[in-house]
Amino acid sequence: MERSFKKEVEALKLGDGETFRGEGILAVTKALLQAGVSYVGGYQGAPVSHLLDVMVEAEGLLGDLGVHVETCTNEASAAAMLGASISYPLRGAVTWKSIVGTNVAADALSNLASPGVIGGAMIILGEDYGEGASIIQERSYAYAMKSTMWLLDPRPDLPTIVRMVEKGFELSEASHSPVMLELRIRACHVTGEFTAKDNRRAAFSGVNRLAGPPKFNYARLSHPPVTFLHEKLKVEEREPAAQKFIRGEKLNEFFPGDLADIGIITLGGLTNGVLRALERLGLADLFGNSRVPIYCLNVAYPLVPEELRDFCAGKRAVLVVEEGNPDYVEQAVNTELRRSDIQTRVLGKGMLPKAGEYTSDVLLAGVAAFVAKVKPATVDADAVAARQRQLTAHKPGAAAAVGELPVRPPSFCTGCPERPVFTALKLAQREIGATHISTDIGCHSFATLPPFSMGNSILGYGMSLASAAGVGPNMEKRTIAVMGDGGFWHNGLITGVASSLFNRGDGVLVIMQNGYTSATGLQYMPSSKASRQGGAAGMDIETTLKAVGVKWLRKVRTYGVAKMAETLKEALRSAERGLKVIIADGECQLARQRRVRAEDAAKLTRGERVVRTRYGVDDEICTGDHSCIRLSGCPSLTLKPSPDPLRSDPVVTVIESCVGCGLCGEVAHAAVLCPSFYRAEIVKNPSWLERTRHAVRRRLLPIGGRPEKAAAQAPA
Ligand code: SF4
Ligand code: SF4
């Protein structure tokens, strides 16, 4: 991809005793190499996309170590990769965004966890929970419990994260169970340093291959009747082995404090927030030395009963800090203490909210409420409560003073090729009326926000067409499903297209072919024009659709708004029954700009001619009704006061960020708006003919034209 990870790749090469500095997710990547993995795979998604992006660019280094990297087409294929660790002493790691990715991977994970593993198997989850998350608010904890996999939730501190990766593989091997390593957004992006170790070449890998398969062993399959045995092994052998390892290796941490009759049990990932709340309340110092003893669960699942009992013995009350619902850890703590007849009072939800991210202020309020409730002997609980009130008292006043802030919903990039499709859809619906639109995951889901506000359902990545299957037969008009090319290869081809053809569906599918999985940071996919190996993979959406039997198929350039609107109307009105697919073709503008900028810079260095296209609005012609903004939503279109004193409405203007995609001109034409848009070409290193033409124009234009327009058309 155009973005370079050269600096990050250099960090992966650090050896024994050298200091690694950087973000949490890069530290995980380095730790995988230090742990001697033989294979790595995954599907991109925030906040862990970086891991795979860097691995892909580190091919040379990984080749030397014999590490195979697979850029999987979805999370299910990534999870299935871990099957290598079932029968072979191979360490492997895969990564994806959770909870959605874990949902996709669930089948393979169950089938992996049942027979268990010989080589360490690790799943690195980008836990996208809380403010700023882009997905459904659920947690991965339930998957760990139901499949008996261990869930690591390291304290956001680089040495701890790295240790948990390395020890995680050992835990997996000691207990023959896969391990999940959960990284919240803040853990992925926390910065710090750790002392690196040499990367380890695995005993078996691409440079020292296995001689052959082991002797056939039915017990390594997740197939009855051995699945009944696996279930017993999980509870009778693997879980006790894991608990023994966690305890022996001290994976969980205990922070002492002088307020010995109370304590806080926190998930590792929330520890920094808890310490910050304690510090703000005067119960810890800036270096994390707390007056309240803390039991930090770097392993969120399973709990270790002996550790829990040791921590709670002699305490009047503990606070369990666990984000989200249900309160799995709090329930488990209660159960274990009651079973052991330890009468420590367990507080958690109630002091802290049942749902939502535990931000700094939420934790501040929760810890203060806990202190007020349990009233430690040597602490002035009233003073702590007053401190919490004082720390937050200014907020309502500040909010009132600022007033209501304008919302800033995310939107398509300037010049995005997907925006014009929704403009065309808006125009088509003006004529034929609204119909059900099932939308999907990807950049095109920005169309669910203003100014388009289109879409009636989102059921998952690549699931839009499948999710219209029940609506279509019950709706007068044909339904429209929108899917990206990333979603098509992720699973839309099978769950949507194949299913629709198989069931003789009659809907319309619009596939946004922008050439990349753009929303996750611009990764290549099967139909990209390039791949990490260089040339294209040779897979093509149009050919694939024809091969599976799609008869009604059109490929339309996305910026051709009028043509796109006509094609949509044709698909919705056609007497021909069956699935109708429109491939909306236009390269992701973000990727295009990165490429073009680099190409143009190189041309300028060589003194070659470079043309940049910009659009502008003639304020004398602009009527001020702003339909162009409502129809395109381009962030480069904005308002400015009218220069005409007789007109009070602001006029539209195009700002510097315009990339000259041409959509505004197309919209003005297709929707028959005022002809106020003009196109300008800014030419660098112009030819002698262009210079001469410009000189002549400059002499003539002040007579009949306007000087600012002449400047816009000038060579630079
Ligand atoms: S990343 Fe590409 S496809 Fe996504 S909104 Fe930006 S230009 Fe459009
Ligand atoms: S040409 Fe128009 S729609 Fe395209 S980027 Fe410029 S202002 Fe936006």
Side-chain angles (χ1 to χ4, degrees):
M1 192 56 38
E2 290 80 7
R3 190 185 157 190
S4 168
F5 293 101
K6 218 167 147 196
K7 206 173 114 224
E8 285 85 347
V9 171
E10 285 307 306
L12 297 186
K13 295 178 185 164
L14 294 174
D16 242 350
E18 293 185 279
T19 303
F20 171 104
R21 292 189 181 87
E23 278 191 326
I25 189 62
L26 189 63
V28 170
T29 315
K30 169 70 174 139
L32 291 177
L33 301 183
Q34 294 183 174
V37 288
S38 301
Y39 64 95
V40 177
Y43 192 82
Q44 56 274 356
V48 286
S49 305
H50 214 55
L51 191 155
L52 215 54
D53 288 341
V54 174
M55 283 287 192
V56 163
E57 209 163 300
E59 245 175 339
L61 168 66
L62 300 185
D64 290 346
L65 294 167
V67 180
H68 171 72
V69 178
E70 184 101 352
T71 45
C72 304
T73 49
N74 64 25
E75 297 84 353
S77 65
M81 259 188 101
L82 292 173
S85 299
I86 295 177
S87 300
Y88 303 102
L90 299 172
R91 285 187 173 182
V94 295
T95 186
W96 56 71
K97 173 195 192 84
S98 204
I99 189 74
V100 285
T102 314
N103 290 340
V104 176
D107 194 12
L109 290 179
S110 293
N111 283 284
L112 171 76
S114 190
V117 294
I118 295 172
M122 182 172 288
I123 304 132
I124 296 157
L125 302 173
E127 189 83 342
D128 196 10
Y129 178 87
E131 290 177 10
S134 60
I135 52 168
I136 315 109
Q137 293 299 274
E138 292 180 7
R139 295 183 298 148
S140 308
Y141 200 100
Y143 279 100
M145 291 204 307
K146 81 162 182 61
S147 294
T148 322
M149 297 181 285
W150 320 133
L151 181 66
L152 310 182
D153 184 2
R155 180 163 62 88
D157 154 78
L158 261 54
T160 306
I161 292 174
V162 169
R163 181 164 186 266
M164 294 306 285
V165 173
E166 293 173 335
K167 288 290 167 192
F169 282 108
E170 291 177 30
L171 169 64
S172 174
E173 285 158 4
S175 60
H176 301 300
S177 301
V179 165
M180 298 166 119
L181 179 96
E182 168 188 328
L183 294 171
R184 293 178 174 78
I185 298 169
R186 289 188 173 91
C188 277
H189 301 308
V190 70
T191 54
E193 60 180 48
F194 69 92
T195 306
K197 292 187 207 135
D198 286 339
N199 296 328
R200 257 177 62 190
R201 195 178 266 190
F204 297 101
S205 69
V207 290
N208 182 26
R209 296 178 183 235
L210 293 153
K215 196 164 162 266
F216 176 74
N217 181 358
Y218 192 81
R220 306 312 296 158
L221 304 172
S222 55
H223 211 229
V226 288
T227 41
F228 306 112
L229 172 68
H230 293 161
E231 189 191 14
K232 281 174 81 94
L233 285 174
K234 280 178 175 180
V235 289
E236 289 173 5
E237 289 185 14
R238 297 182 198 164
E239 186 168 340
Q243 287 163 328
K244 187 173 166 215
F245 184 90
I246 295 162
R247 201 167 175 220
E249 293 292 330
K250 299 186 172 29
L251 298 191
N252 293 322
E253 296 172 284
F254 294 91
F255 299 107
D258 63 288
L259 305 176
D261 63 337
I262 60 166
I264 295 178
I265 300 172
T266 179
L267 289 175
L270 298 171
T271 312
N272 292 0
V274 170
L275 286 169
R276 171 76 177 131
L278 288 165
E279 187 272 328
R280 291 174 83 195
L281 294 171
L283 295 170
D285 66 19
L286 279 171
F287 304 99
N289 299 308
S290 167
R291 292 195 63 196
V292 183
I294 294 173
Y295 177 29
C296 165
L297 298 174
N298 290 318
V299 185
Y301 182 81
L303 278 184
V304 181
E306 296 87 347
E307 284 187 356
L308 180 70
R309 289 198 294 265
D310 288 350
F311 182 73
C312 292
K315 296 202 186 312
R316 285 189 294 118
V318 291
L319 175 70
V320 177
V321 183
E322 174 194 15
E323 238 171 0
N325 187 49
D327 52 352
Y328 299 114
V329 178
E330 191 176 333
Q331 288 179 35
V333 168
N334 265 308
T335 306
E336 190 52 48
L337 294 184
R338 297 302 83 89
R339 271 188 196 143
S340 313
D341 203 19
I342 293 174
Q343 297 311 314
T344 307
R345 188 169 179 197
V346 179
L347 298 160
K349 302 294 178 193
M351 300 290 103
L352 287 151
K354 277 189 169 179
E357 185 177 349
Y358 285 1
T359 58
S360 181
D361 279 353
V362 170
L363 285 168
L364 186 78
V367 174
F370 173 65
V371 172
K373 187 91 179 171
V374 298
K375 296 193 181 359
T378 55
V379 172
D380 181 347
D382 293 338
V384 170
R387 177 118 186 92
Q388 190 258 330
R389 283 196 299 276
Q390 181 207 346
L391 284 165
T392 49
H394 64 286
K395 300 224 162 178
V402 172
E404 202 177 322
L405 291 170
V407 287
R408 290 180 57 207
S411 182
F412 296 102
C413 301
T414 288
C416 173
E418 302 186 354
R419 179 183 283 113
V421 180
F422 295 98
T423 304
L425 191 49
K426 233 178 179 178
L427 294 175
Q429 289 198 341
R430 274 186 188 174
E431 203 175 312
I432 56 176
T435 187
H436 176 93
I437 298 172
S438 54
T439 178
D440 213 292
I441 305 295
C443 291
H444 50 85
S445 65
F446 289 137
T448 58
L449 299 164
F452 300 109
S453 302
M454 287 176 167
N456 302 94
S457 63
I458 296 183
L459 264 292
Y461 195 24
M463 305 291 271
S464 60
L465 183 58
S467 72
V471 184
N474 293 296
M475 175 84 41
E476 276 184 8
K477 291 198 186 86
R478 277 195 182 118
T479 56
I480 298 175
V482 182
M483 186 187 293
D485 42 7
F488 176 81
W489 292 117
H490 181 267
N491 77 20
L493 169 62
I494 304 301
T495 55
V497 176
S499 191
S500 175
L501 293 171
F502 185 48
N503 290 284
R504 300 185 197 285
D506 186 37
V508 177
L509 170 65
V510 178
I511 301 175
M512 302 287 189
Q513 182 167 271
N514 68 25
Y516 310 85
T517 34
S518 300
T520 52
L522 295 175
Q523 290 85 12
Y524 293 126
M525 49 157 183
S527 53
S528 294
K529 296 254 178 329
S531 69
R532 67 185 167 102
Q533 288 85 7
M539 297 163 78
D540 172 65
I541 293 179
E542 196 175 351
T543 315
T544 306
L545 289 170
K546 283 181 186 160
V548 294
V550 174
K551 300 273 179 307
W552 197 106
L553 181 59
R554 308 279 187 274
K555 188 168 168 181
V556 184
R557 192 181 142 264
T558 61
Y559 294 106
V561 174
K563 174 90 182 353
M564 183 65 77
E566 281 312 311
T567 311
L568 282 163
K569 284 187 275 184
E570 187 198 339
L572 290 165
R573 284 173 171 153
S574 169
E576 192 180 323
R577 289 192 61 77
L579 177 66
K580 289 149 199 72
V581 184
I582 301 170
I583 300 177
D585 191 36
E587 186 186 5
C588 165
Q589 189 68 238
L590 192 63
R592 186 177 176 278
Q593 287 301 316
R594 280 185 186 163
R595 197 188 58 246
V596 168
R597 259 202 303 269
E599 285 167 6
D600 285 353
K603 280 188 190 165
L604 287 175
T605 321
R606 294 194 298 266
E608 291 173 17
R609 180 176 180 272
V610 170
V611 182
R612 188 180 157 212
T613 306
R614 287 277 314 274
Y615 275 70
V617 172
D618 189 329
D619 13 272
E620 281 177 13
I621 301 173
C622 176
T623 58
D625 87 328
H626 314 145
S627 298
C628 52
I629 292 182
R630 286 192 293 276
L631 277 168
S632 87
C634 174
S636 295
L637 285 179
T638 185
L639 301 178
K640 69 172 187 183
S642 169
D644 183 346
L646 298 178
R647 288 195 298 165
S648 55
D649 282 340
V651 293
V652 171
T653 187
V654 178
I655 57 174
E656 180 58 27
S657 53
C658 166
V659 294
C661 75
L663 173 61
C664 19
E666 289 274 355
V667 172
H669 170 70
V672 200
L673 306 180
C674 67
S676 51
F677 284 95
Y678 63 83
R679 180 170 177 267
E681 287 188 345
I682 301 160
V683 184
K684 297 231 167 101
N685 298 329
S687 65
W688 67 267
L689 185 62
E690 285 167 321
R691 283 182 194 282
T692 314
R693 218 163 33 208
H694 177 62
V696 173
R697 279 181 183 154
R698 284 193 72 161
R699 281 173 196 276
L700 297 178
L701 268 171
I703 302 168
R706 291 190 301 130
E708 69 272 25
K709 238 194 217 176
Q713 289 161 341

